[in-house]
Amino acid sequence: MSSAGGSTTRFTTLSVTRPADGITHVELNRPDKSNAMIRAFWSEMVDCFNQIAVDPRCRVVIFSGAGKLFSTGIDLMDLTSDIRQLAGDDVARVSWNLRRFITMGQETFSVIEKCPKPVIAAVHGACIGEGVDLITACDIRLCTQDAWFQVKEVDIGLAADVGTLQRLPRVIGSRSLVSELALTARKMFSDEAKSCGLVSKVFADKEAMMAGALEMASEIAGRSPVAVQGTKINLIYSRDHSVPDSLDYMATWNMSMLQTHDVLKSAQAAMEKKSPADVPFSNM
């Protein structure tokens, strides 16, 4: 990873910078190709977020796209080439290799969810296909007024297979709306995205959105990383489990996490009418 203000040169499809202490900015970095996602992007995303997950200097992530739009989704030429190259002596073996190919794509976005650091998606312009897969794996979603979203896969002859159909119903709550979007491939614009809960805030333009994302990230980064990471992990666990199971998991989690010094530091700051950002929490 790079130092504050610098950029990594390790990745070809991503740019990674540190705009402020505790904040990592990951940016889709193929602006000349509308940030279309190629095979290299799959492995680089996994590598990038595996690094972020264990980086003690990172407390929160902002994810955006370089250039005129967020992403047009998967690069179809790249996808077609990859599928044609799948080897196998018969249907069973080709299918086995295709399944492995699909699960690699799924891990590209699941790695965001597995990362204990909160991830804020900042979307401007088009967010199509795999772009929707990506943002639904993020914890918070922001967009610009000109942003629009499209579950495009049925238009190219396939069912979305790397996360949208599994996560979008949990994000916006209406299975009817999800089915409509997925089956018609119609565009959803920023006003509807806000009203249905896909995004929580809409900004006038990209500059305002990135400033808002940085302000929000700073708010999160200023709080106890024990509390923040525990909150993300338990929110995701509770989404996928019953209330009794989630409460039991929470009790087991906090039987150790409540013993952190951060609780006493936070209480002391509250009594002194200080902001959490004024507390020198240790990294983790």
Side-chain angles (χ1 to χ4, degrees):
M1 293 298 176
S2 62
S3 59
S7 177
T8 181
T9 57
R10 177 170 184 173
F11 302 118
T12 60
T13 67
L14 301 172
S15 171
V16 183
T17 56
R18 295 187 186 280
D21 287 345
I23 301 171
T24 299
H25 180 198
V26 181
E27 187 177 43
L28 295 170
N29 195 33
R30 299 184 75 222
D32 56 325
K33 300 294 184 181
S34 300
N35 292 324
M37 301 172 184
I38 57 175
R39 181 73 173 271
F41 163 79
W42 290 11
S43 59
E44 289 185 357
M45 277 285 289
V46 173
D47 190 13
C48 178
F49 274 89
N50 282 342
Q51 290 182 49
I52 288 172
V54 297
D55 183 356
R57 297 169 297 170
C58 175
R59 297 188 180 186
V60 61
V61 181
I62 298 172
F63 201 112
S64 68
K68 296 181 179 179
L69 50 81
F70 184 76
S71 176
T72 53
I74 197 163
D75 186 309
L76 290 177
M77 294 298 293
D78 191 68
L79 173 66
T80 302
S81 175
D82 283 339
I83 291 177
R84 285 176 177 171
Q85 293 177 31
L86 291 172
D89 292 338
D90 57 21
V91 172
R93 288 167 176 79
V94 172
S95 298
W96 186 265
N97 289 327
L98 182 55
R99 185 184 191 280
R100 183 166 54 186
F101 177 79
I102 293 168
T103 58
M104 286 174 56
Q106 292 173 343
E107 183 63 13
T108 301
F109 307 111
S110 293
V111 74
I112 299 173
E113 216 169 56
K114 293 175 182 177
C115 176
K117 320 298 174 68
V119 182
I120 302 170
V123 180
H124 74 291
C127 178
I128 303 171
E130 282 200 347
V132 178
D133 291 310
L134 191 158
I135 67 167
T136 53
C138 295
D139 304 289
I140 299 169
R141 287 163 294 277
L142 315 175
C143 77
T144 58
Q145 287 182 349
D146 70 347
W148 53 275
F149 308 84
Q150 187 175 25
V151 184
K152 183 70 172 174
E153 282 80 357
V154 293
D155 277 355
I156 57 174
L158 57 90
D161 57 4
V162 292
T164 290
L165 301 185
Q166 292 70 38
R167 294 188 176 100
L168 191 58
R170 290 171 165 83
V171 169
I172 67 178
S174 170
R175 297 197 69 88
S176 176
L177 179 56
V178 171
S179 294
E180 177 192 341
L181 294 170
L183 294 170
T184 68
R186 76 164 174 86
K187 297 178 181 178
M188 172 188 278
F189 295 94
S190 60
D191 55 346
E192 186 180 6
K194 173 69 162 58
S195 66
C196 77
L198 178 59
V199 301
S200 53
K201 290 187 178 181
V202 178
F203 295 84
D205 52 37
K206 186 180 181 182
E207 183 179 3
M209 177 184 65
M210 294 309 297
L214 185 58
E215 180 181 3
M216 184 180 293
S218 297
E219 287 283 330
I220 295 170
R223 282 156 170 80
S224 160
V226 174
V228 167
Q229 294 182 39
T231 296
K232 170 171 178 172
I233 290 167
N234 278 276
L235 279 172
I236 292 174
Y237 188 93
S238 66
R239 181 198 66 188
D240 300 330
H241 296 80
S242 69
V243 172
D245 286 348
S246 298
L247 287 170
D248 184 63
Y249 187 83
M250 185 78 250
T252 303
W253 182 272
N254 260 3
M255 73 182 188
S256 55
M257 294 299 107
L258 279 177
Q259 299 181 63
T260 176
H261 295 307
D262 292 8
V263 173
L264 295 178
K265 290 180 179 179
S266 298
Q268 183 67 31
M271 289 188 291
E272 296 175 358
K273 300 188 183 304
K274 293 181 179 179
S275 164
D278 297 325
V279 182
F281 295 114
S282 299
N283 289 330
M284 64 180 292

